[in-house]
Amino acid sequence: MPIIGTAMVTGGTSGIGLAFARALAARGCDLVLVARNRQRLDETAEELRAAHGIAVHTIVADLTDRADADTVARRLEDTSAPVDILVNNAGHGVHTPLTEQLDVHDAAIDLMIRGVLVLGAAAGRAMQARGNGLIINVGSVAGLVAMGTYSAIKSWVNTYSESLSLELEGSGVQVMTLIPGWVRTEFHGRAKIRTSAIPSFLWLESDRLVADCLADVEAGRTRSVPSRRFKVIAWLAQRMPRALVRRATALIRKGRR
């Protein structure tokens, strides 16, 4: 489908979200950026306006807060200023044992499950009523293995996104499930995840990942696993005997501690 109109990007001031914002702005899309930090939002908005001559609106929101999530959802359903594209990207790493600090897990679930569900539902309703639109949900290859809360959450996102795609099939709304691997952003540092044991050839650049995803959207696909190497990894994670996947996951976990 053509990538045109107004795009909302959650977590749009850093990492994959910022790469999406820049790529969509370069295509002439106006933007609605959603993030928690007012200063970074303002700086990013000004950069994109100056570089591409587009309109950029901002919403300061913490999607772990239900009132904030509802505010963003209302913007998605505003018929006077339609949002044609939703990039459901906001998220962070979780490197906390499953038996400790349950508030950390609660916050992650609110952000990356409830937030994705609420915004996806609002966008889906509005776009279905208009008969067109695009929703990109950022899942992860981590959702195909077992590495704690983050993997469990991204497993839900992967399945949710495919389910939403089936539910909206034939409505004119395209739902893309993006399943990236390791991407060079500040994501891992924020979560205090050690990455030195991850081979350099496995890392992806966020701009390349986004370019691959948007190419898959234009080709009419509903799932994007950027790069051949992660296509192979995702294929193996889903088809290898589970005992082998567990052993490989255990080795990865050791390298992240």
Side-chain angles (χ1 to χ4, degrees):
M1 69 172 289
I3 300 171
I4 56 175
T6 297
M8 175 184 286
V9 183
T10 66
T13 60
S14 64
I16 293 173
L18 179 57
F20 265 112
R22 287 172 172 161
L24 292 166
R27 290 167 178 258
C29 294
D30 291 331
L31 296 174
V32 180
L33 300 181
V34 180
R36 294 179 298 174
N37 187 299
R38 163 60 72 187
Q39 181 178 346
R40 292 186 72 164
L41 272 172
D42 290 345
E43 290 171 353
T44 303
E46 185 54 38
E47 171 203 326
L48 295 172
R49 290 188 195 107
H52 303 286
I54 59 165
V56 184
H57 301 280
T58 61
I59 301 175
V60 179
D62 180 350
L63 295 177
T64 66
D65 182 288
R66 296 194 172 199
D68 281 9
D70 290 344
T71 295
V72 178
R74 285 193 295 273
R75 175 63 185 86
L76 286 165
E77 294 191 271
D78 182 354
T79 57
S80 67
V83 172
D84 305 285
I85 302 163
L86 168 64
V87 182
N88 232 341
N89 163 77
H92 58 70
V94 184
H95 196 47
T96 303
L98 291 166
T99 54
E100 299 175 10
Q101 294 179 261
L102 295 186
D103 59 320
V104 172
H105 303 288
D106 279 342
I109 289 167
D110 280 342
L111 175 61
M112 293 182 281
I113 292 183
R114 188 180 185 279
V116 168
L117 176 66
V118 169
L119 301 192
R125 286 192 297 269
M127 293 175 184
Q128 188 174 29
R130 295 195 304 269
N132 62 80
L134 168 63
I135 300 171
I136 300 173
N137 295 307
V138 180
S140 176
V141 167
L144 307 178
V145 295
M147 288 193 288
T149 291
Y150 186 76
S151 282
I153 286 171
K154 289 301 183 178
S155 177
W156 182 90
V157 173
N158 294 346
T159 302
Y160 159 78
S161 187
E162 186 173 359
S163 299
L164 184 62
S165 175
L166 288 169
E167 188 171 309
L168 295 176
E169 193 170 25
S171 69
V173 182
Q174 182 178 352
V175 180
M176 165 60 74
T177 308
L178 173 58
I179 305 181
W182 286 292
V183 184
R184 291 195 187 280
T185 69
E186 57 196 80
F187 174 93
H188 297 90
R190 286 180 174 179
K192 298 181 181 179
I193 296 171
R194 190 165 66 88
T195 60
S196 57
I198 300 170
S200 60
F201 73 88
L202 285 178
W203 288 97
L204 298 175
E205 299 297 331
S206 56
D207 291 339
R208 159 72 189 282
L209 178 150
V210 168
D212 285 357
C213 177
L214 295 180
D216 285 335
V217 167
E218 291 175 318
R221 300 186 179 99
T222 59
R223 173 178 161 125
S224 180
V225 184
S227 83
R228 289 183 180 178
R229 54 193 179 276
F230 277 105
K231 282 182 172 66
V232 171
I233 290 171
W235 189 91
L236 290 172
Q238 292 177 292
R239 290 167 177 80
M240 285 172 59
R242 201 61 191 171
L244 292 179
V245 175
R246 283 173 58 92
R247 289 176 64 183
T249 303
L251 291 174
I252 295 170
R253 284 175 59 86
K254 287 180 181 178
R256 286 156 46 102
R257 291 173 182 166

